[in-house]
Amino acid sequence: MFRMLFYLIIFYLIWKLIEPYLKNLFTSNPEVKGSSDQKNIKINPNDIEDASFKEIDDSKS
């Protein structure tokens, strides 16, 4: 029983050392080719309206 517990602890420690390398090996880093054609949106602060909220009566619900 002690031997099995010992092997499990050794296996766990080895796994924790190897795990980051295995994750980097199997994760793909796709390359994005092309250019972004995003236009800058010009927003006039005078055109922005505040939302009006209605109070909720908790006693009615």
Side-chain angles (χ1 to χ4, degrees):
M1 184 67 182
F2 179 72
R3 184 180 292 171
M4 185 176 165
L5 183 63
F6 180 72
Y7 287 143
L8 286 173
I9 292 172
I10 295 296
F11 178 74
Y12 175 77
L13 292 174
I14 291 172
W15 176 254
K16 284 298 177 183
L17 288 172
I18 295 175
E19 184 181 17
Y21 299 110
L22 291 176
K23 282 185 180 179
N24 288 339
L25 200 99
F26 290 112
T27 55
S28 63
N29 294 327
E31 291 184 28
V32 178
K33 295 182 179 179
S35 62
S36 71
D37 295 332
Q38 293 181 349
K39 297 178 182 177
N40 290 336
I41 301 173
K42 294 181 182 177
I43 299 175
N44 186 356
N46 296 329
D47 293 339
I48 299 173
E49 295 180 15
D50 288 336
S52 59
F53 294 99
K54 191 163 97 177
E55 290 293 325
I56 298 174
D57 191 6
D58 289 334
S59 63
K60 292 183 180 179
S61 57

